[in-house]
Amino acid sequence: MWMKSLGWSVGVWAVGVCVVAEVAGQPASPVTGVVRERVFTEQPGRGEEGGWVLTLSPTSEVTLPSSYDDVDLTVSRLGLDLSSEYWFSRQVVGTFGVGTEWSHYALSGFNGEVGLDEPISNAVTTTLRPGARFNFSRAWGAFGFGILEFSGDPGADWDKSFTGGGAAGASWSPNEDLRLLFGAGATSALDDTASFFPVLGVNWKFAERWSLETLGTGGAVRYRLDDTWTLSAGGRYESRDYRLDDDASVPDGVLRDDRALVEVSATYRPRPGFDITAGVGAVVWSELTVDSAGSDEVFEATGDVTAVLGLRGVVRF
């Protein structure tokens, strides 16, 4: 996905914190997959004339059952993200995003393995992302954004479930087929630690129909069949932390869900401003961890390889 006019810089609402897990060794909760994938924004035309540009992105995903020692887990997710841009001029763009993701963790066997009831059933992640970006020239741009996130059981203590951070950097496009993103940021975690991370990305159209997109811990190769259909193959690493309810079997603890997956997908775009992507893939590695409120490990196990199915949509206004 390319922006070929005015050297657009990266969308501020892109979640650079997803690289924390790989680079800094600390987990980070992604907002939604669709936000990460659209770090290189593609909002040409309307926004340049001033005013608002809105992007609504619903997502759904099911990870089929996997065994973590004697604990079985199936995960279902629904997400919705709204990203807004206000073009003060062609050079200055204000951005604000709000996203939420609901996850259902169907755990069984936890009592037999650990001797405690399942620590969580439903989890919610909600984020606010204010920021701005600046288009200096056709080749150069800059961005800065902040993130405030709630992540936990819906009944968890709010004051223990928030993390925050932000990042800033620049984008460089030596030609219309290549864009590089580089910057740095920091974020807090539910275990009261702080992490510093680079924000790195590449968007390269290396052939007429082929492109490569990477950002942080994810990347994909895309092939454009025609103006309507695009095929993709890629992979990513994800890490989510959730604060547990103070009435849970591990009161005020933290559940961490780490995984690496590969996916092939097809995107259908019947008209500009609307597309649907269906994907099928495999979780090739995963780890489930439960820590107490004092950061003592209660449970840790790696999961079997399993399949994942996803459906994502984008509507632009």
Side-chain angles (χ1 to χ4, degrees):
M1 297 181 293
W2 286 96
M3 304 170 297
K4 296 186 176 180
S5 61
L6 293 175
W8 284 31
S9 61
V10 63
V12 176
W13 36 266
V15 185
V17 295
C18 68
V19 302
V20 176
E22 179 178 74
V23 178
Q26 296 289 341
S29 300
V31 176
T32 58
V34 69
V35 174
R36 270 197 326 279
E37 290 169 5
R38 285 169 173 77
V39 58
F40 296 97
T41 182
E42 48 165 354
Q43 304 281 356
R46 182 178 173 187
E48 296 173 7
E49 300 174 359
W52 290 96
V53 178
L54 304 177
T55 302
L56 184 67
S57 305
T59 62
S60 63
E61 183 181 277
V62 175
T63 302
L64 299 187
S66 180
S67 295
Y68 294 77
D69 292 342
D70 292 330
V71 176
D72 294 326
L73 173 64
T74 303
V75 182
S76 304
R77 305 191 198 277
L78 291 173
L80 185 63
D81 189 88
L82 177 63
S83 298
S84 62
E85 301 179 345
Y86 186 79
W87 287 69
F88 295 96
S89 67
R90 294 192 175 192
Q91 290 73 41
V92 180
V93 183
T95 67
F96 184 80
V98 56
T100 186
E101 180 185 75
W102 173 85
S103 300
H104 177 65
Y105 281 77
L107 283 159
S108 62
F110 198 83
N111 187 284
E113 177 72 16
V114 182
L116 297 170
D117 292 336
E118 284 72 22
I120 198 170
S121 177
N122 298 315
V124 176
T125 299
T126 300
T127 62
L128 302 177
R129 308 181 306 277
R133 71 171 183 267
F134 308 92
N135 304 315
F136 301 129
S137 67
R138 188 207 64 79
W140 286 96
F143 67 92
F145 62 89
I147 296 175
L148 179 64
E149 178 177 276
F150 169 89
S151 186
D153 186 295
D157 290 341
W158 279 64
D159 59 339
K160 299 177 182 178
S161 304
F162 277 97
T163 57
S171 64
W172 176 54
S173 180
N175 56 63
E176 66 178 14
D177 292 330
L178 177 63
R179 181 167 295 280
L180 305 176
L181 172 73
F182 45 92
T187 185
S188 61
L190 292 179
D191 60 2
D192 295 325
T193 62
S195 298
F196 300 90
F197 54 91
V199 179
L200 303 173
V202 176
N203 199 327
W204 178 30
K205 183 180 178 182
F206 57 88
E208 179 63 27
R209 296 179 180 269
W210 291 89
S211 63
L212 170 68
E213 299 176 14
T214 70
L215 174 68
T217 58
V221 175
R222 308 192 189 280
Y223 178 73
R224 184 175 60 84
L225 289 172
D226 51 36
D227 292 338
T228 303
W229 288 96
T230 300
L231 304 179
S232 303
R236 62 186 182 271
Y237 175 87
E238 298 179 345
S239 185
R240 293 170 170 86
D241 283 3
Y242 300 110
R243 177 68 68 187
L244 303 180
D245 194 334
D246 55 9
D247 292 329
S249 58
V250 185
D252 289 332
V254 175
L255 181 141
R256 179 171 301 135
D257 179 5
D258 298 320
R259 64 177 184 169
L261 59 86
V262 294
E263 181 187 63
V264 293
S265 63
T267 298
Y268 174 60
R269 179 175 295 177
R271 59 179 177 82
F274 178 81
D275 61 68
I276 300 174
T277 299
V280 58
V283 179
V284 296
W285 175 88
S286 60
E287 184 176 74
L288 190 67
T289 305
V290 178
D291 291 340
S292 69
S295 299
D296 295 323
E297 185 179 291
V298 175
F299 174 80
E300 182 182 69
T302 56
D304 297 335
V305 175
T306 189
V308 60
L309 308 174
L311 188 64
R312 302 181 290 275
V314 174
V315 181
R316 301 179 183 87
F317 304 92

